[in-house]
Amino acid sequence: MKRHIKNNVWWVGRIDWELKTFHGDDYSINHGSSQNAYLIQEGKTVLIDTIWKPYEKEFRDNLEKEINLGSIDFIVMNHGEVDHSGSLPYVMEKIPNTPIYCTANAVKSLVGQYHHPEWNFKVVKTGDSVDIGNGKRLVFVEMRMLHWPDSMATYLTEDNILFSNDAFGQHYGVEELFNDKADQCLLAEEAMKYYANILTPFSALVKRKIEEIVALNLPIDIIAPSHGAIWRDNPLEIVQKYAAWADNYQENQITIVYDTMWDGTKQLAHALASRIQAISCDTVVKVFNISQTDKNDIMTQVFKSKAIAVGSPTVGKSILSSVGGWLHFLTELQFKQKKAAVFGCYGWSGEGNATLTEALGKAGFSVVEAQAKVNWNPTAEDLDHMQAVAEALCR
Ligand code: FEO
């Protein structure tokens, strides 16, 4: 069933309470999610985005209960990723000549995935617009690398709705659709997790894009993203948050991430935590065993941190694979202006700390000189040495 957004704008997406992971298994979903598609019924009837392929039949059937598909004048595809375009071929089976407005890069991603070069693509770029009747227009804004090269947003004049696609979204199921109806803590948490785990590498572009959108001076009453809550109560608050997050965001927090074989490295992690607290009781300190904690949730904590410490015992002249895999993910995100320290126990050769230092440098962290490299189990003296590591991180 379509759900009302404003005037002649309707939500025709799908809330997915069963979804547990996204991007394969690379992103954990803890509180449901949604794929938001929208229907505008003005002088022209416009479909904005579709939903994920497994639900293509449900999507098209629901749409057909609301309208004759043949009455759709055109489709806007803000982004070609399959969670928004997956149902497009199934819709197009019935209306194969319908124009599809999208960026030049979206033509590449849609044709590459669905192999329909004959579709009636209408390529648009920033500032292009189309009349939809009743004095209203759709204005297109390219959102390159937010988060794909093909991404764009679509602005509906008069109703002042920005259909922002992935930007400003969250993997969070909100049955009532709107931000003012959502659990505010979960909404804030999921919006930050989404930014931290997906958009961090593009922060410089996010900053420029927000400046560009603000300079357009468009009144914005609603921001309607393609995942999660629709921002109708104070919609610019999430834009301000994005501006802050894109500006090398950090809070007074230090996050300690480790894995351990026989608890030696675990002892170092907790000794470091207690010493940071003793030095600076205002600093939030969090400790995570990487094998027992969701990697995306740890990454959100890293996003909030001014510094991190990463620990692993030496294994086979390197580090534990759990820590190595996580560091690979950390490198993808390219955090900036954060400090890091390394620590770990070893029995024989002791290359772990060097491996950690190199990996953290590649990930964009400024690695402090103080470290803890402990042969066999930590002694009381070794644990006391964590004071020097704590001081270097707090400085
Ligand atoms: Fe980039 Fe929600 O897809």
Side-chain angles (χ1 to χ4, degrees):
M1 290 290 285
K2 68 181 186 183
R3 311 260 301 267
H4 191 229
I5 301 299
K6 182 178 181 180
N7 296 336
N8 295 316
V9 179
W10 306 85
W11 176 90
V12 289
R14 182 175 193 277
I15 295 173
D16 193 342
W17 292 106
E18 318 302 323
L19 195 67
K20 290 295 167 204
T21 60
F22 190 78
H23 283 160
D25 285 333
D26 216 34
Y27 189 107
S28 58
I29 306 285
N30 299 327
H31 306 101
S33 186
S34 65
Q35 298 117 43
N36 299 334
Y38 300 93
L39 185 67
I40 304 173
Q41 293 176 287
E42 290 290 352
K44 305 269 187 200
T45 298
V46 184
L47 175 65
I48 298 186
D49 296 327
T50 72
I51 67 170
W52 193 20
K53 184 172 175 55
Y55 309 107
E56 61 185 7
K57 184 171 185 319
E58 176 185 324
F59 179 71
R60 195 176 79 182
D61 287 352
N62 283 343
L63 211 49
E64 285 188 304
K65 284 178 197 152
E66 304 294 345
I67 54 166
N68 175 352
L69 284 188
S71 71
I72 295 176
D73 290 287
F74 61 90
I75 298 170
V76 173
M77 288 305 305
N78 278 325
H79 174 35
E81 196 165 8
V82 73
D83 48 332
H84 310 297
S85 66
S87 298
L88 182 64
Y90 197 64
V91 172
M92 292 297 281
E93 272 179 17
K94 287 219 168 175
I95 47 171
N97 300 316
T98 306
I100 298 171
Y101 285 72
C102 63
T103 63
N105 277 329
V107 176
K108 289 183 196 166
S109 62
L110 292 169
V111 172
Q113 291 175 104
Y114 306 117
H115 311 138
H116 285 287
E118 78 285 2
W119 281 351
N120 184 11
F121 292 110
K122 304 285 185 194
V123 172
V124 295
K125 51 190 186 323
T126 296
D128 289 349
S129 69
V130 59
D131 192 338
I132 59 166
N134 301 332
K136 298 181 183 181
R137 300 186 75 78
L138 289 176
V139 182
F140 305 106
V141 183
E142 287 170 274
M143 303 278 275
R144 195 172 290 210
M145 297 318 294
L146 294 181
H147 66 120
W148 270 18
D150 68 0
S151 301
M152 73 170 185
T154 299
Y155 177 75
L156 172 57
T157 66
E158 306 309 313
D159 289 332
N160 306 334
I161 301 176
L162 182 69
F163 300 97
S164 60
N165 199 260
D166 282 334
F168 311 121
Q170 337 87 47
H171 283 301
Y172 177 29
V174 181
E175 195 63 50
E176 304 85 355
L177 296 184
F178 296 102
N179 67 321
D180 49 295
K181 298 287 188 184
D183 177 308
Q184 297 302 299
C185 288
L186 281 182
L187 178 60
E189 190 181 301
E190 292 296 343
M192 181 181 272
K193 177 177 172 178
Y194 191 93
Y195 188 98
N197 283 272
I198 294 180
L199 292 174
T200 295
F202 313 116
S203 281
L205 296 164
V206 172
K207 217 172 153 185
R208 284 207 293 276
K209 186 51 67 177
I210 287 175
E211 287 163 5
E212 187 187 316
I213 291 173
V214 169
L216 291 173
N217 214 15
L218 300 169
I220 295 177
D221 293 343
I222 292 177
I223 296 178
S226 56
H227 298 290
I230 296 165
W231 307 91
R232 71 175 176 188
D233 178 42
N234 194 7
L236 292 183
E237 188 183 357
I238 188 65
V239 180
Q240 287 155 2
K241 277 190 177 162
Y242 263 50
W245 293 343
D247 196 16
N248 299 319
Y249 183 76
Q250 52 181 249
E251 298 176 14
N252 186 9
Q253 176 172 327
I254 297 176
T255 299
I256 300 166
V257 182
Y258 76 96
D259 201 355
T260 195
M261 290 174 74
W262 300 110
D263 282 357
T265 302
K266 176 180 176 179
Q267 287 182 55
L268 296 178
H270 289 283
L272 177 59
S274 61
R275 279 156 180 82
I276 292 169
Q277 257 302 284
I279 294 169
S280 174
C281 60
D282 290 337
T283 301
V284 173
V285 186
K286 296 191 179 178
V287 184
F288 299 103
N289 179 316
I290 204 157
S291 291
Q292 294 170 14
T293 318
D294 181 287
K295 72 175 190 296
N296 303 112
D297 289 338
I298 298 178
M299 215 52 92
T300 310
Q301 298 305 319
V302 170
F303 178 72
K304 288 165 71 177
S305 298
K306 62 182 181 183
I308 65 170
V310 182
S312 170
T314 296
V315 184
K317 297 190 174 179
S318 186
I319 54 176
L320 283 168
S321 61
S322 54
V323 181
W326 185 81
L327 285 168
H328 179 85
F329 183 26
L330 190 75
T331 305
E332 282 176 25
L333 295 180
Q334 285 296 306
F335 289 105
K336 296 199 168 46
Q337 295 184 15
K338 294 183 193 291
K339 283 199 229 178
V342 303
F343 60 95
C345 295
Y346 68 100
W348 305 107
S349 52
E351 293 89 346
N353 279 23
T355 306
L356 292 171
T357 300
E358 188 185 347
L360 284 164
K362 277 188 190 155
F365 286 76
S366 169
V367 184
V368 299
E369 221 169 278
Q371 59 175 276
K373 181 177 171 182
V374 172
N375 197 206
W376 302 109
N377 263 341
T379 61
E381 202 172 68
D382 290 325
L383 296 177
D384 282 344
H385 173 68
M386 297 314 283
Q387 177 77 14
V389 181
E391 283 170 5
L393 289 177
C394 290
R395 208 169 283 142

